[in-house]
Amino acid sequence: MQASIGQPMQLAQAYQHCLGIARNHYENFPTASKLLRADLRPAVAAIYAFARHADDLADEGDATGETRIKQLDAWETLLERCESDETIDHPVFMALGDAVRKHQLPIEELHNLLIAFRMDVTIHAYSSFDELRFYCKHSANPVGRLMLALHGVDSSEAVRCSDSICTALQLINFWQDLSVDLPRGRCYLPQTWLQESGLNSQDMLGGNISLEKLQPVLKHALQTTSDLLEDGVALLPMLPFRLRLQIAATIHGGRRMLGKIEKVTQPMEERASLSSGEWKTLLLPVLKDTLFPAFAIKRKPA
């Protein structure tokens, strides 16, 4: 890890601080870090630490919405400073600023994440799928774009495919978490979709709905999400091996999760998840798609 001139010890400690946050708060980080090149792990930890704290500001505790927005504004002020100020006295932003400069990361994607976190504070239902995709554009797509930038992948087609995968993953999380989000006052199924079955977001939030009416909405949601995920498969040949392995696993995991969600009988009460055994069954197809990515594009998902 190269340190900024004049503060090698402080910078090393700042990166260690971020790595500690990632390992303590994100259960998948140790696994993901083994797939990353060692020289990229500190930068990924800095990005994660930045996003983790912003997410907590938006969601955790009992602060008012107004207070949360002000705290996110203050967090963004530090982000604006860190790109050019190497002496910034905050471990997350000292590490993040170094990562942005060293890897020429698109800092606008970090600002985009903050737009999504502000939306978490102020918006709890979506009128249309276009509105929901706008949220995903800021909440999920920046992560993929930052990972591409870290690996020096910058073609417009790679970015487009990455956006499709990231949006699909965000949507999968929404459909997986209906039983979690609805009691918290959040409905991510677009109002236009619900209206086609005679439902609305208030019905969903109140739990006053017929599963018979909800099933066509969920079927449409899962198919739309699957189409996005498959659209992103073309990204695989454009990636270096380690990242390709990680994304192939992500795609196969997403496919399997969509199938699990479809089989849930009480989607407003149950949360689908993948067991370690189910992940193990994906090892061979993931390896096959990693080694032969061109064939992954031609094959239809099982």
Side-chain angles (χ1 to χ4, degrees):
M1 171 190 317
Q2 294 179 349
S4 297
I5 296 173
Q7 53 176 354
M9 184 60 70
Q10 295 93 323
L11 184 57
Q13 291 172 343
Y15 273 118
Q16 284 302 317
H17 174 80
C18 294
L19 284 163
I21 291 174
R23 288 171 180 145
N24 290 332
H25 290 81
Y26 183 33
E27 61 184 5
N28 291 326
F29 186 81
T31 300
S33 67
K34 293 175 184 177
L35 295 177
L36 289 168
R37 283 175 16 210
D39 62 311
L40 299 182
R41 293 172 198 166
V44 172
I47 293 168
Y48 178 79
F50 163 81
R52 175 72 271 163
H53 185 71
D55 191 22
D56 288 346
L57 292 176
D59 275 340
E60 297 301 319
D62 54 6
T64 65
E66 182 181 3
T67 297
R68 293 180 190 277
I69 293 296
K70 288 180 178 178
Q71 291 172 332
L72 287 167
D73 288 345
W75 199 241
E76 186 161 36
T77 297
L78 289 172
L79 175 61
E80 291 167 350
R81 283 182 53 200
C82 82
E83 187 176 16
S84 58
D85 184 0
E86 297 184 22
T87 64
I88 190 167
D89 188 22
H90 191 294
V92 171
F93 288 100
M94 183 180 291
L96 186 62
D98 182 73
V100 167
R101 291 185 294 273
K102 184 184 301 180
H103 299 285
Q104 298 182 311
L105 299 180
I107 199 167
E108 64 270 15
E109 299 301 344
L110 298 169
H111 286 283
N112 283 336
L113 288 173
L114 292 178
I115 291 174
F117 292 132
R118 290 189 182 94
M119 291 176 72
D120 285 336
V121 176
T122 59
I123 302 175
H124 299 130
Y126 291 83
S127 297
S128 67
F129 185 53
D130 283 344
E131 287 186 6
L132 188 59
R133 287 196 72 165
F134 179 85
Y135 174 80
C136 296
K137 175 182 176 181
H138 295 85
S139 68
N141 297 4
V143 177
R145 292 181 176 213
L146 288 163
M147 289 299 293
L148 290 181
L150 276 171
H151 289 82
V153 179
D154 59 4
S155 76
S156 59
E157 180 63 6
V159 171
R160 188 194 68 78
C161 291
S162 173
D163 286 352
S164 291
I165 293 171
C166 290
T167 293
L169 294 177
Q170 178 72 85
L171 294 176
I172 289 170
N173 183 252
F174 288 154
W175 316 146
Q176 178 188 18
D177 281 349
L178 289 177
S179 63
V180 177
D181 290 330
L182 291 172
R184 296 177 65 186
R186 291 182 175 173
C187 178
Y188 292 103
L189 285 166
Q191 186 87 343
T192 52
W193 291 2
L194 292 168
Q195 287 172 343
E196 292 176 3
S197 288
L199 300 170
N200 59 56
S201 55
Q202 289 306 311
D203 294 332
M204 295 293 295
L205 294 171
N208 220 358
I209 65 161
S210 154
L211 285 177
E212 185 178 358
K213 287 187 174 182
L214 180 60
Q215 284 303 326
V217 183
L218 283 178
K219 183 178 180 180
H220 178 61
L222 295 174
Q223 184 59 58
T224 300
T225 306
S226 176
D227 291 344
L228 280 166
L229 189 63
E230 298 309 321
D231 182 56
V233 174
L235 176 64
L236 292 176
M238 308 180 210
L239 302 177
F241 183 83
R242 286 192 178 195
L243 183 57
R244 191 190 315 147
L245 179 62
Q246 188 171 344
I247 300 307
T250 298
I251 291 170
H252 279 277
R255 288 170 177 163
R256 183 64 62 90
M257 181 57 71
L258 285 169
K260 294 275 287 193
I261 296 170
E262 187 176 17
K263 294 176 182 176
V264 169
T265 57
Q266 298 290 334
M268 296 180 65
E269 299 175 15
E270 303 172 43
R271 183 181 187 275
S273 61
L274 297 184
S275 67
S276 58
E278 287 173 306
W279 276 110
K280 288 177 182 177
T281 65
L282 298 178
L283 289 176
L284 185 57
V286 166
L287 185 58
K288 185 183 297 184
D289 284 355
T290 303
L291 294 173
F292 308 104
F295 290 100
I297 300 171
K298 299 176 183 178
R299 280 196 303 271
K300 291 183 178 180

